[in-house]
Every structure is written in C-alpha cells, then in structure tokens.
Amino acid sequence: VTGHSHIDEELYEELEAILVEADVGVTTTMEILDKVREQVRARSIKDPAEVKGILKEAILEVIGGEPSRLIEASEGPTVIMVVGVNGVGKTTTIGKLAARFKDAGKRVILGAGDTFRAAAIDQLEIWAGRAGADLVRHQENSDPAAVAFDALQAARSRKADYVIVDTAGRLHTKSNLMEELKKVRRVIDREMPGAPHEVLLVLDATTGQNAVAQARIFDEAVGVTGIALTKLDGTAKGGVVVAVSRGLKIPVKLIGIGEQVDDLRDFVPRDFVEALFA
Amino acid sequence: NLAARLQETFKRLRGKGKLTEKDVEEALREVKLALLEADVNFKVVKDFIGRVKARAVGQEVLNSLTPGQQVVKVVYDELTELMGQTQSKLNFAAKPPTVIMMAGLQGSGKTTTAGKLALYLHKQGRRPLLVAGDVYRPAAIKQLEVLGEQLGIPVFSMGQGNPVEIAKTALEHAHSHGNDVVIIDTAGRLHIDEALMEELQAIRAAVAPQEILLVVDAMTGQDAVQVAETFNQRLELDGVVLTKLDGDARGGAALSVRAVTGKPIKFGAFGEKMDALEPFHPDRMASRILG
Ligand SMILES: Nc1nc2c(ncn2[C@@H]2O[C@H](COP(=O)(O)OP(=O)(O)OP(=O)(O)O)[C@@H](O)[C@H]2O)c(=O)[nH]1
Ligand SMILES: Nc1nc2c(ncn2[C@@H]2O[C@H](COP(=O)(O)OP(=O)(O)OP(=O)(O)O)[C@@H](O)[C@H]2O)c(=O)[nH]1
Ligand SMILES: [Mg+2]
Ligand SMILES: [Mg+2]
C-alpha cells in the first residue's frame, strides 16, 4: 500500500483486498473502511501514509485494544469448559493450558469430556501426562456431564486450582449435540454455582466466515466468555475474529502457534492487527 | 438469496432505460459479494467475475425481462463447469495393491476419511489395509486402530517409527496378505513446514501412490488457495476430499481449490460416522456456494 501520492479509491481497494484476504469478511471490511473514510474526511487527512494507521485503530476499536485475561474463580477451583467444532484444536489447547498452569505451580485436573470420538480420551491422557495434570475419565460412550461432575468433585477433594473440561467437537448446526453441551454446562453450574467461570470457544485461524455462525450459536447455547484462536503458525491470519467481534463482545484471549506444549500465547490485539498487514 | 438480490439490482438499473454493459458490471458486484461471503478466495473471485462478465453481457441478458435470473444462470453454469465432473473415480493400479495417500492440514479430517474410504472400498468388494502413518499426534495410531476395529478392517502400524519405513513395510505386508488397496493416513501438517512437506514427498517417492488426496475442511477460508497450491506443487495431487459438509459453511474453498489446482474434488464427507462419504456433486456444491 505504498506508492500512492494521494488518497484515492485505489488505496481503499488495496486495503479492502488485504482485509478480505485475511478473512475479515467483505461486510465487516466495508463497514470498517467506511469508518476510515469518515475519519479521513473529518480530520482532513491528505497523506495516504496515515490511512493505514487510522485503519489499524478502527480494527482495534472493534476487537478491543488491550489483552483480556482468563477469568478466575474468587474462591475454589477455576472451572474452564472448552468447546468448538470438530478438529479446531480443543484437546491440544487444553494440554498447553494445563502445562502453563502447572508451570505456575497450580494443581490442575482435566476432565475427559469427549466420550465419543475414537481415542479422544487416550489423546487427552497423553497431554495430562505431559502437563503433569490429573485426569478424570469414564468409559467410552459414557455421559459427558457425568465426567464433568466427577472432575469437579475431584477438584474439590484434591483442592485443585483449575479444572479444564474437554468436550467432543460438534458442528453448531447439530441441535442434539448442542443440547448435550448445554446439559454439561448445567451440570457444572449445579455442582459448583458460578462455574464454569470460563467457557472457551476454540476457533481455527484457517476458518472463514463460518466462524461467525459458530461463535453466535455456541454463545447462545452455553455463553462463551473467551476465544482461543489456533493454528496461527500457518499462513491464515484469523481475521474472522474481527467479524465475530463486530457482532459479539467476546474477547480473544489465547492463540495457538503450534502443536507443542509451549505453543500457547496470550492474544495481544496490537500484534494481531500488525500481523494482518504483514 | 442471490437471484433475488440480482433482480432487485436490475429492476433499479432498468428503471433508467435499456440495460447496458455497465449495468451488468454493477450487478456482478452482487455476485462478487456473494462469493466472498461464501469464502471463495479474493483473487479467484476476480477471475471468476471476469469470465462471467464475458458471458453475461450478451443480448439475451440485456434484452431479457428477467435479467437477474439470466445472470444467475450464467453464474451457476460457469460455477458448475468449474467444479468439474461428478467423477468420484479413484485411480487404481494395474497390478494391486493400489496405494492411496491422505494429506492435508491439521484437523481437516484425514484419519476419519481414511476409515470411510476403507469402508467404501470394502463395500466394493476390495480388501483394504489402513496404514498408521501419523507418528506424531498423541493417540493418532490408536485412533486409526479403533476405526479399523469398528469396521473390521486391518490396520498396519509400526508404532511411532519412521513414516517412510512404515509406508514401505505396509506395502510389503499388503502383498503378502492379499490386500489390494493400501490407505496411508499421514500426520496433519502446515504447507509451509519444510521438513514435514519433505516427509510427504519421501513417502510418495517410496511407495508411488496411485492416488494422493488432499483433505480440505469445507469451512476453510481464504487460505485454501495457499494450502492447495503448495500441496499440489509439492506432491502433484490426484484429488481432493471436502469434509464437514454436514455443517452450514458455504464451502467457497471448494471453488478456490479447484481454480488453483485444477484437480477434481472426488468425495464429500458429511458427518463423523464411517458411512458419511459420498461421491462429489459439483452442481450441488455450486448452489451451496451461491447461497
Ligand atoms: N499447527 C498447529 N496445529 C495445531 C494447533 N492446535 C492444534 N493443532 C493440531 O490440530 C489437530 C487437531 O487438534 P485437536 O486438539 O485434536 O482438536 P480438537 O478440537 O480437540 O478435535 P476434536 O476433538 O476431534 O473435535 C492436531 O493435529 C493438533 O496437533 C496450533 O496452534 N497449530
Ligand atoms: N461433522 C463432521 N466431522 C468430521 C468430518 N470428518 C471428520 N470429522 C471430525 O473432525 C475431527 C478431526 O478429524 P480427524 O480425522 O482426526 O482429522 P485429521 O485430519 O486426521 O487430524 P490430524 O491428524 O490431527 O491432522 C474429528 O472430530 C472428526 O470426527 C465430517 O465430515 N463431518
Ligand atoms: Mg478433542
Ligand atoms: Mg489424523
């Protein structure tokens, strides 16, 4: 976006291409660029080099400028429920998060709430081992709500600081599966009022506009308090979180940047916005 | 929907007299928006609109009473043509066993699709062998073994060894056990991971698959172009499988992948169960993308 002697439509078209190709989505992009045009007019900006800066600020206004922390319980164990569609990185993110808490000297219990998919429990078991966390599990095909219940009970008796409940991947369009998720959440809340303190929706950075529907429906079902955006180590920019933020005020809290145990970072909005233009 | 939006646009435009080429260009912006909202890649959309415009500025559109419908027809036809044939034909070896290699990004559905393909081929009267080539992901081997057990299909595994050795030994095993199709599951990987892309190339060199399938998640966004292009350049794909079509993603990635590789989408996956695999229908995909 260099080589412009004045601010013209071509400049805005270039900016539109960058944002759309980053998966911000065409509607959200047009809305944000309209705000930028307004600002350019209102502030009588003449130098094209300033437009990008105004655009970055406009995006930060949508997604929030400051990092957002994970919610902690005021007393007792903090319960984190991890949800999302199939294959986005829920189980792996839980493993990484557990290790982070363990490294901070916390006691962590993982609930093997995916009782459906082949070897899902085995997969989480390996991560529990890597992180040094306890694992609560039942038989394959058992009731995920019962696993969550037991994980909370174990957290109380073992005085755990964190309980992270894994759930099976599910498409938001499957109402019976969304009902199952609601039940898991209800059971958690009944067993420990105020829990789950954090409902983390995992979104894959390679996902396009469908993430907007995913976020909306998961939020309606179980109330999402934070987003973990995975696979940012690829070439996808994850711009869809801007589109998600346009409609829902759910902060992105974590990012996944690889498959190893320490490939987890806090989401820093300014860095994310810079990366959109890299 | 798109047809209605186009009709609205043309109604407004024709209010000022006979339709012109410029009017069609303006209407095509609606098509561009629809395709971008469906996750078709930005550059692919540009090329596509260019092609459609060439066909949409003819007299049958400009003089039509329902130009919106005419344009939708041109778009739909062009899209269906681009999507390819309803051919789900896998390439089989003249002398068995046929080797099929799965490839793709992390979490796209390779392992699940491998199981489905095995069942599909088994129902055709073949004797498939599943090969546990993902030695990295925790419990990946177990995942494939559980699927194999559910299906009554043998799974070849050498634990967390060298995937190239595993593939070669699996081929020998297939020869000596009468398996006529070998389906190699591989670890998910980024197209920009040099070492892992070389691993795929090494497996390919070692066992010469008749069929290399790129597994792509239907909800993939703009990045589908980079991914498909790179995998194709490094491996020379034979086909694509589009997964998670049981969701509501419009699936524009299908058009992007097709446009940038020219390779056929051979199957669509519609669920987590082992029977949720169908031959790909380009016309159905075209309607889905257009919304
Ligand atoms: N490159 C990369 N891969 C990731 C990241 N996070 C997860 N993965 C990989 O994505 C794949 C799927 O991860 P899982 O943790 O099994 O995803 P899931 O959401 O639990 O999947 P289901 O339970 O089947 O719905 C695995 O191969 C992970 O290693 C990331 O940040 N970067
Ligand atoms: N709804 C739905 N889920 C699917 C489909 N195909 C695969 N899945 C699910 O998607 C998730 C990931 O599938 P996997 O087969 O583990 O994906 P993968 O590509 O082997 O993952 P990695 O080996 O980690 O790269 C699992 O939860 C599957 O059950 C599909 O067509 N529809
Ligand atoms: Mg999982
Ligand atoms: Mg796999």
Side-chain angles (χ1 to χ4, degrees):
Chain A
V1 205
T2 50
H4 284 267
S5 54
H6 55 280
I7 299 172
D8 55 11
E9 250 335 277
E10 216 182 284
L11 173 63
Y12 286 110
E13 281 177 10
E14 271 180 50
L15 294 172
E16 177 191 32
I18 291 174
L19 293 182
V20 171
E21 289 188 296
D23 283 313
V24 171
V26 63
T27 313
T28 304
T29 297
M30 296 198 307
E31 222 174 66
I32 293 177
L33 286 179
D34 280 346
K35 285 209 198 110
V36 173
R37 275 180 240 261
E38 226 170 278
Q39 292 243 355
V40 165
R41 266 199 302 274
R43 291 155 57 176
S44 306
I45 308 283
K46 293 284 173 269
D47 179 5
E50 293 187 44
V51 179
K52 209 193 235 175
I54 295 176
L55 175 55
K56 290 179 183 175
E57 288 306 314
I59 298 171
L60 283 171
E61 200 159 324
V62 177
I63 64 174
E66 296 309 313
S68 225
R69 313 190 44 105
L70 285 175
I71 300 168
E72 304 234 334
S74 48
E75 52 168 356
T78 291
V79 181
I80 302 173
M81 184 177 164
V82 180
V83 304
V85 303
N86 307 73
V88 294
K90 297 178 292 301
T91 305
T92 304
T93 301
I94 290 171
K96 296 171 181 176
L97 204 47
R100 178 192 267 211
F101 293 144
K102 283 297 293 180
D103 288 348
K106 306 294 180 194
R107 171 145 206 173
V108 185
I109 291 187
L110 302 184
D114 181 352
T115 57
F116 166 74
R117 205 208 69 212
I121 299 172
D122 302 80
Q123 182 186 7
L124 189 64
E125 186 161 38
I126 292 172
W127 276 107
R130 284 180 184 176
D134 291 354
L135 180 73
V136 169
R137 53 170 297 174
H138 287 190
Q139 294 268 28
E140 305 256 338
N141 292 315
S142 55
D143 180 2
V147 178
F149 180 89
D150 277 3
L152 262 53
Q153 293 250 320
R156 274 213 188 87
S157 62
R158 298 178 214 175
K159 303 226 180 332
D161 300 300
Y162 288 95
V163 186
I164 313 177
V165 179
D166 194 9
T167 62
R170 70 204 65 220
L171 296 182
H172 51 292
T173 47
K174 313 228 155 145
S175 51
N176 58 327
L177 297 183
M178 295 309 288
E179 284 308 310
E180 175 188 84
L181 201 63
K182 287 183 194 171
K183 178 175 171 215
V184 172
R185 194 219 147 93
R186 270 200 308 277
V187 165
I188 290 175
D189 180 36
R190 214 176 46 215
E191 175 56 13
M192 198 175 280
H197 307 92
E198 182 86 53
V199 176
L200 207 58
L201 172 68
V202 181
L203 293 178
D204 185 328
T206 65
T207 302
Q209 296 311 298
N210 195 247
V212 175
Q214 293 174 24
R216 197 185 72 245
I217 305 226
F218 273 92
D219 183 41
E220 279 170 15
V222 291
V224 175
T225 57
I227 289 170
L229 182 62
T230 61
K231 307 182 197 172
L232 273 175
D233 45 320
T235 50
K237 307 258 172 152
V240 70
V241 296
V242 183
V244 169
S245 294
R246 177 173 163 257
L248 297 165
K249 286 304 156 219
I250 303 174
V252 179
K253 299 188 173 182
L254 298 166
I255 60 173
I257 56 165
E259 303 188 72
Q260 306 310 321
V261 70
D262 48 8
D263 290 331
L264 185 73
R265 299 282 180 281
D266 289 339
F267 179 76
V268 180
R270 289 193 179 272
D271 293 351
F272 173 78
V273 172
E274 283 302 321
L276 287 180
F277 294 92
Chain B
N1 66 9
L2 181 63
R5 277 150 68 176
L6 281 174
Q7 199 52 16
E8 273 309 299
T9 305
F10 277 120
K11 206 158 127 215
R12 174 173 51 84
L13 292 172
R14 215 180 32 211
K16 26 184 219 42
K18 183 166 188 293
L19 277 182
T20 66
E21 191 173 308
K22 226 160 182 351
D23 293 335
V24 172
E25 236 176 73
E26 176 159 348
L28 286 181
R29 265 210 229 94
E30 288 293 331
V31 179
K32 172 184 166 192
L33 284 181
L35 293 177
L36 288 177
E37 282 169 354
D39 291 322
V40 181
N41 179 271
F42 191 81
K43 298 197 175 77
V44 171
V45 171
K46 216 158 173 245
D47 292 341
F48 181 81
I49 296 292
R51 256 203 306 283
V52 166
K53 174 160 177 270
R55 283 179 56 180
V57 292
Q59 288 312 309
E60 67 279 358
V61 174
L62 300 183
N63 293 332
S64 167
L65 286 175
T66 54
Q69 284 184 24
Q70 290 289 338
V71 172
V72 170
K73 175 145 193 347
V74 172
V75 172
Y76 180 79
D77 288 349
E78 190 67 30
L79 204 49
T80 308
E81 200 172 317
L82 247 179
M83 290 307 233
Q85 310 304 317
T86 324
Q87 293 288 0
S88 68
K89 302 211 154 186
L90 292 169
N91 300 319
F92 289 98
K95 262 184 57 233
T98 291
V99 180
I100 301 175
M101 183 170 94
M102 315 298 294
L105 293 181
Q106 291 89 346
S108 55
K110 297 174 293 299
T111 305
T112 306
T113 303
K116 292 175 182 178
L117 269 175
L119 179 63
Y120 177 82
L121 294 165
H122 174 76
K123 285 185 181 158
Q124 284 182 350
R126 300 178 200 270
R127 293 180 309 280
L129 175 71
L130 284 164
V131 181
D134 180 353
V135 303
Y136 309 106
R137 168 174 156 155
I141 296 170
K142 176 107 197 274
Q143 182 184 4
L144 195 65
E145 287 175 338
V146 169
L147 293 182
E149 195 167 328
Q150 285 174 6
L151 297 169
I153 290 177
V155 176
F156 180 84
S157 156
M158 277 170 60
Q160 293 183 304
N162 175 334
V164 178
E165 287 313 305
I166 295 170
K168 283 202 218 139
T169 316
L171 208 46
E172 293 168 13
H173 180 99
H175 275 297
S176 56
H177 287 75
N179 298 106
D180 55 4
V181 189
V182 173
I183 303 168
I184 305 174
D185 185 22
T186 61
R189 68 204 63 214
L190 297 177
H191 51 299
I192 53 171
D193 186 324
E194 208 31 61
L196 284 183
M197 289 307 285
E198 283 180 10
E199 175 187 276
L200 272 185
Q201 288 176 309
I203 298 175
R204 177 188 186 219
V207 296
Q210 280 71 33
E211 190 76 39
I212 299 181
L213 293 173
L214 180 68
V215 179
V216 178
D217 193 324
M219 55 175 154
T220 308
Q222 298 287 307
D223 202 42
V225 156
Q226 278 79 264
V227 175
E229 191 163 49
T230 310
F231 271 92
N232 193 37
Q233 280 168 359
R234 306 288 296 251
L235 295 174
E236 189 70 60
L237 304 172
D238 294 285
V240 177
V241 179
L242 202 60
T243 62
K244 306 178 202 172
L245 284 165
D246 45 325
D248 59 359
R250 296 262 292 275
L255 179 58
S256 303
V257 169
R258 194 66 196 129
V260 84
T261 65
K263 296 298 158 75
I265 301 177
K266 298 201 172 184
F267 293 97
F270 289 83
E272 298 190 76
K273 301 228 175 77
M274 290 291 106
D275 57 0
L277 187 73
E278 293 178 22
F280 185 69
H281 293 289
D283 51 346
R284 292 184 206 169
M285 196 69 217
S287 327
R288 177 180 181 136
I289 290 175
L290 287 179

